Amino acid sequence: MDVLNDEYYMRLALTMAAKASGQTGINPVVGCVVVKEGRILGIGTHLKRGTGHAEVHALQMAGGEAEGATVYVTLEPCSHFGKTPPCCERIIDAKAARVVVASGDPNPQVAGRGISRLREAGIEVTVGLLEAESQLMNEKFNKYITSKLPFVTLKTASTLDGKIASKTGDSRWVTGAVAREQVHTLRHQHEAIMVGIGTVLADDPSLTTRASVPAIHPTRIIVDSELRLPPGAKVVTDRTVRTIVLTTERADADKRQTLTDAGVEIVISGNGGKVDLREAMKKLGALEIGSILLEGGGALNGAMLEAGLIDKIILYYAAKIIGGAAAPGTFTFEGFEKMADAIELERVSVEMAGEDICVSGYPVYTSSLG
């Protein structure tokens, strides 16, 4: 075993997996490299749900030369029949000598069974090389496959004093071109975008990715308790992209029918004055929405945070101060009485996005919130 070479080939597999981010739906991103005697024989990436997995593509490329080779794969090979046959059997049939796995698969249908099957067949298996990188790459999949709840990333852009718009509501543009381009990439990397009805009424956005970013347009989710969504809004008239509206049982039945006839999917969550966000996440998970990019206003951001439903936070700060007591902020909710009760972020990173600052991290909830 050559640790340095193992790491080199696994990093290549991880790089390949990352290129497919946003294409695999609720499936994980996976890369695979087949190597023998210092020569790469095959490479593969899982490109789309329901199609061949990374191991299959790599082994097909390697052909008969895969016998006696080492297979580097970023996620434990599957051991069950799903939309495709089990990958561990494909590796066994190829007579590979060794398999190096970055991370185990948390999917209850796999969860160690693939590794056990390979070892039972006499194949040497090494697990855990660059595990943290693999798990981070599949953080959305890891949550969804174990909880059937979508992984929610909040993205927002504000001035240094925490304002997402001026006191008149003007928000074009808070941040610069580089940050805005990164946001379109984020949209591609999530299965859905979620906003509040206020955003739709104010801006009539398309909620798609730009043509300059090669991407799959995500599903659009609108939180609209009173069903105020106009039938003429872009998110309704553009039928090339799926639109889901979260509303309540109190919403007008005729308006529901009008929007349904226009191709909008209506999801009822709660019978009070507001959408029950926890219930909504369960229903979206049941619709196989595995990840959501939350681009809400202060009220929706605050409600999602209070409910403990945000998994990751990405904050873009422009080097601007706009002021205004009435100017909307990033989070609008009742708030905490003491600084010690504030929600903290862990695994925080800070980087520049052009002239703007990007801060990202993972919120740590108290038991009363999560």
Side-chain angles (χ1 to χ4, degrees):
M1 179 173 66
D2 188 327
V3 175
L4 290 178
N5 283 342
D6 281 351
E7 184 170 326
Y8 173 83
Y9 294 123
M10 186 61 78
R11 287 202 181 280
L12 175 58
L14 286 166
T15 299
M16 294 173 56
K19 300 298 184 182
S21 178
Q23 294 188 183
T24 59
I26 58 172
N27 279 12
V29 291
V30 184
C32 181
V33 179
V34 180
V35 180
K36 185 164 68 174
E37 297 175 353
R39 187 162 62 96
I40 296 175
L41 303 176
I43 56 176
T45 306
H46 180 44
L47 298 174
K48 182 181 179 182
R49 187 183 181 204
T51 64
H53 291 184
E55 301 95 315
V56 172
H57 293 305
L59 289 168
Q60 284 177 341
M61 186 181 294
E65 292 188 85
E67 183 174 351
T70 297
V71 176
Y72 297 87
V73 61
T74 59
L75 190 70
E76 176 181 2
C78 62
S79 56
H80 67 290
F81 281 89
K83 290 183 177 294
T84 58
C87 291
C88 62
E89 298 302 329
R90 182 68 178 82
I91 294 171
I92 293 167
D93 290 343
K95 299 181 180 179
R98 181 169 172 252
V99 177
V100 181
V101 179
S103 175
D105 189 339
N107 184 346
Q109 290 184 295
V110 183
R113 294 181 180 88
I115 292 169
S116 296
R117 176 72 184 103
L118 292 171
R119 286 175 172 158
E120 288 170 2
I123 296 175
E124 178 187 347
V125 182
T126 301
V127 183
L129 180 63
L130 303 182
E131 181 178 19
E133 287 92 331
S134 175
Q135 289 186 347
L136 179 62
M137 186 178 296
N138 278 312
E139 60 184 1
K140 303 178 190 72
F141 166 77
N142 291 343
K143 178 185 178 181
Y144 179 78
I145 202 65
T146 55
S147 68
K148 297 305 178 187
L149 295 172
F151 184 98
V152 179
T153 303
L154 176 139
K155 184 285 306 177
T156 191
S158 70
T159 57
L160 288 178
D161 52 339
K163 305 297 184 180
I164 60 176
S166 71
K167 62 183 180 181
T168 64
D170 178 43
S171 61
R172 294 182 179 267
W173 295 102
V174 177
T175 53
V178 173
R180 296 199 299 273
E181 197 79 356
Q182 288 183 4
V183 170
H184 284 277
T185 299
L186 280 172
R187 287 182 176 184
H188 167 62
Q189 293 172 343
H190 291 76
E191 291 178 65
I193 303 172
M194 187 164 80
V195 301
I197 183 60
T199 297
V200 176
L201 295 176
D203 302 328
D204 191 23
S206 297
L207 297 180
T208 57
T209 57
R210 284 182 182 156
S212 59
V213 179
I216 298 170
H217 296 306
T219 295
R220 300 174 292 210
I221 300 172
I222 318 298
V223 182
D224 185 5
S225 299
E226 299 177 2
L227 219 53
R228 293 184 289 157
L229 179 63
K234 291 177 183 176
V235 295
V236 177
T237 58
D238 175 14
R239 294 200 182 194
T240 61
V241 182
R242 183 185 188 187
T243 297
I244 298 173
V245 172
L246 304 178
T247 191
T248 70
E249 291 182 355
R250 295 186 182 184
D252 183 78
D254 291 337
K255 185 66 175 292
R256 280 191 225 171
Q257 191 60 53
T258 297
L259 291 174
T260 299
D261 291 342
V264 174
E265 296 177 45
I266 304 295
V267 175
I268 306 297
S269 298
N271 55 14
K274 295 182 179 180
V275 170
D276 184 327
L277 293 171
R278 286 195 176 95
E279 180 184 338
M281 291 302 108
K282 292 177 182 178
K283 290 188 174 183
L284 290 172
L287 291 173
E288 295 193 336
I289 301 293
S291 61
I292 295 172
L293 183 65
L294 174 61
E295 296 192 59
L300 181 55
N301 291 348
M304 288 287 287
L305 191 69
E306 274 195 304
L309 297 174
I310 297 173
D311 298 289
K312 185 176 184 178
I313 293 177
I314 301 176
L315 304 172
Y316 286 95
Y317 288 103
K320 304 173 183 177
I321 297 173
I322 197 166
T330 304
F331 295 98
T332 304
F333 63 106
E334 186 175 347
F336 303 102
E337 295 183 0
K338 298 180 180 179
M339 190 61 66
D341 297 328
I343 296 172
E344 297 184 5
L345 300 187
E346 63 180 7
R347 292 178 282 158
V348 175
S349 64
V350 181
E351 57 186 33
M352 298 302 296
E355 297 299 313
D356 303 309
I357 304 162
C358 180
V359 179
S360 63
Y362 300 81
V364 179
Y365 298 107
T366 63
S367 58
S368 61
L369 281 177

